Amino acid sequence: MTSTPSEPPRRPLTLRDVSEASGVSEMTVSRVLRNRGDVSERTREKVRAAAKELGYVPNKIAGALASQRVNLVAVIIPSMSNMVFPDVMTGITEVLDGSGLQPVIGITGYRPEKEEQVLYEMLSWRPSGVIIAGLEHTDASRAMMQNADIPVVEIMDVDGKPIDSMVGISHRRAGREMAKAIIKAGYENIGFLGTKMPLDHRARKRFEGFTEALAKAGLEIQDKEFYSGGSALAKGREMTEAILKRSPELDFLYYSNDMIGAGGLLHCLSKGIDVPGQIGLAGFNGVELLQGLPVQLATMDAGRSEIGRKAAEIIIRRNTPDQDHAPERLEISPVIQFGETLKRRRK
Amino acid sequence: MTSTPSEPPRRPLTLRDVSEASGVSEMTVSRVLRNRGDVSERTREKVRAAAKELGYVPNKIAGALASQRVNLVAVIIPSMSNMVFPDVMTGITEVLDGSGLQPVIGITGYRPEKEEQVLYEMLSWRPSGVIIAGLEHTDASRAMMQNADIPVVEIMDVDGKPIDSMVGISHRRAGREMAKAIIKAGYENIGFLGTKMPLDHRARKRFEGFTEALAKAGLEIQDKEFYSGGSALAKGREMTEAILKRSPELDFLYYSNDMIGAGGLLHCLSKGIDVPGQIGLAGFNGVELLQGLPVQLATMDAGRSEIGRKAAEIIIRRNTPDQDHAPERLEISPVIQFGETLKRRRK
DNA sequence: TTGAAAGCGCTAACAG
DNA sequence: CTGTTAGCGCTTTCAA
């Protein structure tokens, strides 16, 4: 709202205003508005009426300073446009709703300095907890979380040493298991397609686990293709076309995410390539999108919403007095969905 | 972090700690940490060293209470999983970055009561502005925003009366223009497919504009199909199959979003239906995803990131002293992308 | 260039 | 059940 110059600059309403309007002490007004302590029904009514009438919105800044309590939970994630973090957020929100705690989201764009900055900003509001994606942080970020003396839950990944609690899957293991499934199905000439993102540690770990398991079976990746930026679906098509042109002997393509995998699948379908006969495909994440494709892409459900729920539960538990406040480490087991693009090959 | 029982409960660091560690008054420490006022280089050094050494993170709660200034901007959107709001967020973040203001995101799930609750929660932190999706709010929400006396920018939609500023497109007009383009291309038996979401006002307005323009040309929608929940892509396939089975005479399908449109397109392709010869298709939003499809779906780019940028600019301007603080109303013009699914038909 | 005092709006703790 | 007092940790304001 813009005030016309003549209006006196409106002073935000305070407890005192409600107190005066209702003829009840500030303290009692505060009690009513927070549902704390015993207040007679008559008084409550009066106070609530006055507060509503005036349109009073409490000042949590002052409240938080006085009570040393903040009902905010900092959630720090790399990206929103990812299909994966929205699911995590849904899980977090589900659990936090009704707990009195409120998630506040910060985005890092996969950049450690930005993460540090967002973290600093959020910690300066003294939240009741931090949920943060990944185990890799700058020393400064790590130190801040250590010193904050609030519950910290690192999510998505369990391959590393957490600051406090963690909930996630082992991406190394995920990569290994997918490799084993592919080998078991009889594929031998395997290509890898992924993002050119050195800072996406989870993708990197899956790749490492994948190659490791192949090596154990005496195999290695025949060809690779990486992309950055642009529409993942389109990139998936392009990369698939490119890699198959370059290495026609490939009989399996492992994609680092479902979106490029879907692009690859669409490419194969449009070229009339026999999937999974001539070539098998698999992605990663288990995104809902896949259900809409004409053929079900093999993938691995990373349990995203469960991760969100568990993380939120830990934060709540750690904020409950008289509870065990030990760090919790929780490994979720991802589940391979074979779909129709990863099937035993006839020799 | 969990303290072992023997550790004394750590008291969060305060300015005073830095003051004592550096031998400089609290006030001067505060000046250094905020880069305010003149402080000798020597003193600055000392203070910064002490702060870093201790790992001091300022308490913004106390700072905000004292200064009556909060660098937070409340951003209230219905959903994250939508493909549309991430783009808006990107625009907002781009502009806010480096302005000293920080976006804080709240999610309403398209539910007015939830919006009210999120708004109340956020306003109680006295942010420097509100960016909120849509023009439809409960009376209580509206009143809160009126009374907050901070800049409020309603985004996405301009068909209605804003509380203060607004930036968006006219969805009614968007619907009308798509109808005109379809008619002009020679299609006559038009079907509509959309979400069963009475609270998605923008989708509703597009539908209204669409039918209105058809009516003006003496046409009306021949058949409709609605969905809720599930994978939009999959629903697009299913609905398209259903509507074409029921009404084989249809020669155009207008989808209320690109995701179901893409599903419809995939269905048609897999059935060997001639698009756009036998049947034309169009979606809405201009999402990046479309670029990966084998055929380019007609759509309308709603200028999402521009909306985000403009909204953020307004918030910044309104927080700059000595600027014109009049409400701003900005209509973005959406652009039809004809793709390959909306083309003049040969008679 | 630095410091001291006052107080932001609320709640913890205690008294009645 | 209700009220009083004393801060929470900073910044504003004023004085040195």
Side-chain angles (χ1 to χ4, degrees), chain A residues 15 27 30 34 56 62 66 69:
Chain A
L15 257 193
M27 195 55 234
S30 167
R34 286 178 300 145
Y56 173 68
R69 227 188 311 283

Side-chain angles (χ1 to χ4, degrees), chain A residues 41-53:
Chain A
E41 193 48 48
R42 222 181 92 60
T43 314
R44 305 180 93 81
E45 296 284 296
K46 265 198 301 192
V47 170
R48 276 203 268 260
K52 180 153 197 183
E53 161 75 18

